[in-house]
Amino acid sequence: MSVHPAVEITRCDRSRPGTAARLPRRAGAGFKPQHADAILEDDFRIGFLEVHAENYMGAGGHPHRILTRMREDFPLSIHGVGLSIGSPTGLDPEHLARLKTVVDRYQPEQVSEHLAWSTHDSHFLNDLLPVPYDRATLDRVCDHIDEVQEALGRRMLLENPSTYLGFEASTMSETDFIRAIARRTGCGLLLDINNVHVSATNHGYGARDYLADFPLLCVEEIHLAGHAEDMDDAGLPLLIDSHDRPVDDLVWDLYDHVIAKLGPLPTLVEWDNEVPDWPVLKREAQRADAVLDRHAIVELGRRHAS
């Protein structure tokens, strides 16, 4: 894996009209309606909340009433899971229109999606499937991101995937592919550090080597999550991006490594399956806040020293 010098790393274009204010450089949590009362009553104020766009594409009802109330008190990030940015058949215009309605309604600080595809013809698949890293796919993904950003009137963030297989058709590395997307579209990046660890383990490369070649200057939000451990048919470790348990210590180490390089960034703790009570998720967010606070103090000390 080649490492590009800093001068070659794209500085993302943050001047796109309609770009919203950024999230606070604190820890946030994936919002679950069953946590609403506990969050509102808690003396601890979470930095921000993130929701999956597809859960709010209906016209009204209880989910919208709860989220409207939460939006009064907390910054919001909207994360899509069904836009199918990597689809070979183009974006679904109706899905994109529904996404725009959600974004217009809640005016979030960030909007993000996955580097993946999840549609075939008119069918939606319950998976975020990988794409080959080749020129044709790059052109298609960039066209789709341009279409999304034009429709929403703002920049979006693109999340790096967790993968379990590679394509023989790939002609470039994942980091080169993502770097090219950021350069061509001006989109920001969402760095999912659990995905880095999962993919590195599954494919047998070093997570820190991947991060050394990642266009970190375009990262505007970080995701942390738990993963399940299994073995493949050859008896080698196989990690599953399950979002159903606490963040692994190795992922925390990688997170500390990234924040040491970049300084504090908005950091989301994801927990989407086997969702615990609010205090458990809060403790994970507080652990992320402790990392952010420690590096903020170091960064402040460097400024004073200079």
Side-chain angles (χ1 to χ4, degrees), residues 195-215:
N195 287 357
V196 172
H197 176 63
V198 165
S199 296
T201 301
N202 292 343
H203 296 291
Y205 57 77
R208 291 201 180 199
D209 292 336
Y210 177 97
L211 291 169
D213 197 39
F214 195 85

Side-chain angles (χ1 to χ4, degrees), residues 159-236:
E159 179 181 335
N160 58 294
S162 59
T163 59
Y164 310 93
L165 54 84
F167 289 91
E168 291 184 356
S170 292
T171 57
M172 63 186 82
S173 69
E174 182 172 291
T175 49
D176 282 341
F177 190 82
I178 292 173
R179 179 182 293 103
I181 291 171
R183 179 182 297 120
R184 284 178 50 174
T185 68
C187 74
L189 298 179
L190 191 166
L191 176 61
D192 189 312
I193 295 180
N194 186 63
N195 287 357
V196 172
H197 176 63
V198 165
S199 296
T201 301
N202 292 343
H203 296 291
Y205 57 77
R208 291 201 180 199
D209 292 336
Y210 177 97
L211 291 169
D213 197 39
F214 195 85
L216 292 174
L217 295 183
C218 289
V219 174
E220 298 183 39
E221 185 181 338
I222 289 176
H223 275 189
L224 301 171
H227 58 261
E229 299 181 2
D230 204 339
M231 288 195 303
D232 65 16
D233 292 341
L236 298 174

Side-chain angles (χ1 to χ4, degrees), residues 40-88:
L40 291 170
E41 294 168 2
D42 201 328
D43 291 336
F44 170 76
R45 305 301 283 176
I46 193 75
F48 65 96
L49 299 172
E50 184 164 287
V51 298
H52 289 169
E54 286 72 16
N55 291 334
Y56 297 90
M57 287 184 173
H62 189 57
H64 281 295
R65 284 194 293 274
I66 295 177
L67 188 57
T68 297
R69 172 65 187 89
M70 305 308 289
R71 183 65 172 117
E72 294 174 2
D73 287 4
F74 299 97
L76 183 64
S77 177
I78 288 181
H79 190 50
V81 296
L83 197 52
S84 198
I85 288 287
S87 171

Side-chain angles (χ1 to χ4, degrees), residues 13-288:
D13 178 12
R14 295 186 173 91
S15 63
R16 174 178 289 270
T19 298
R22 296 185 203 172
L23 294 169
R25 297 184 178 192
R26 289 194 53 211
F31 175 63
K32 301 296 183 286
Q34 64 264 35
H35 293 156
D37 289 342
I39 293 172
L40 291 170
E41 294 168 2
D42 201 328
D43 291 336
F44 170 76
R45 305 301 283 176
I46 193 75
F48 65 96
L49 299 172
E50 184 164 287
V51 298
H52 289 169
E54 286 72 16
N55 291 334
Y56 297 90
M57 287 184 173
H62 189 57
H64 281 295
R65 284 194 293 274
I66 295 177
L67 188 57
T68 297
R69 172 65 187 89
M70 305 308 289
R71 183 65 172 117
E72 294 174 2
D73 287 4
F74 299 97
L76 183 64
S77 177
I78 288 181
H79 190 50
V81 296
L83 197 52
S84 198
I85 288 287
S87 171
T89 56
L91 299 180
D92 178 350
E94 293 183 1
H95 190 92
L96 180 55
R98 288 192 292 268
L99 174 62
K100 177 174 171 52
T101 297
V102 175
V103 170
D104 289 347
R105 182 172 191 164
Y106 289 105
Q107 293 296 308
E109 278 68 30
Q110 297 281 27
V111 178
S112 56
E113 248 290 354
H114 296 81
L115 176 57
W117 64 278
S118 55
T119 56
H120 180 67
D121 294 331
S122 60
H123 301 287
F124 280 83
L125 309 175
N126 192 29
D127 287 291
L128 295 169
L129 301 170
V131 299
Y133 302 133
D134 58 18
R135 184 61 56 181
T137 307
L138 175 63
D139 291 343
R140 181 169 66 248
V141 169
C142 287
D143 287 346
H144 291 168
I145 291 175
D146 286 341
E147 185 178 349
V148 173
Q149 294 186 140
E150 184 66 27
L152 299 184
R154 62 159 74 203
R155 293 171 62 255
M156 60 164 278
L157 307 187
L158 184 70
E159 179 181 335
N160 58 294
S162 59
T163 59
Y164 310 93
L165 54 84
F167 289 91
E168 291 184 356
S170 292
T171 57
M172 63 186 82
S173 69
E174 182 172 291
T175 49
D176 282 341
F177 190 82
I178 292 173
R179 179 182 293 103
I181 291 171
R183 179 182 297 120
R184 284 178 50 174
T185 68
C187 74
L189 298 179
L190 191 166
L191 176 61
D192 189 312
I193 295 180
N194 186 63
N195 287 357
V196 172
H197 176 63
V198 165
S199 296
T201 301
N202 292 343
H203 296 291
Y205 57 77
R208 291 201 180 199
D209 292 336
Y210 177 97
L211 291 169
D213 197 39
F214 195 85
L216 292 174
L217 295 183
C218 289
V219 174
E220 298 183 39
E221 185 181 338
I222 289 176
H223 275 189
L224 301 171
H227 58 261
E229 299 181 2
D230 204 339
M231 288 195 303
D232 65 16
D233 292 341
L236 298 174
L238 176 67
L239 302 185
I240 309 297
D241 184 32
S242 54
H243 294 195
D244 62 353
R245 63 198 68 198
V247 178
D248 188 87
D249 285 342
L250 291 175
V251 175
W252 283 117
D253 288 343
L254 289 174
Y255 176 58
D256 188 86
H257 173 74
V258 169
I259 298 302
K261 287 180 173 294
L262 295 180
L265 285 171
T267 300
L268 179 82
V269 178
E270 295 184 287
W271 201 316
D272 297 316
N273 299 300
E274 304 295 331
V275 178
D277 291 338
W278 171 245
V280 177
L281 189 53
K282 179 177 76 171
R283 283 196 295 272
E284 292 288 279
Q286 289 173 319
R287 184 170 178 179

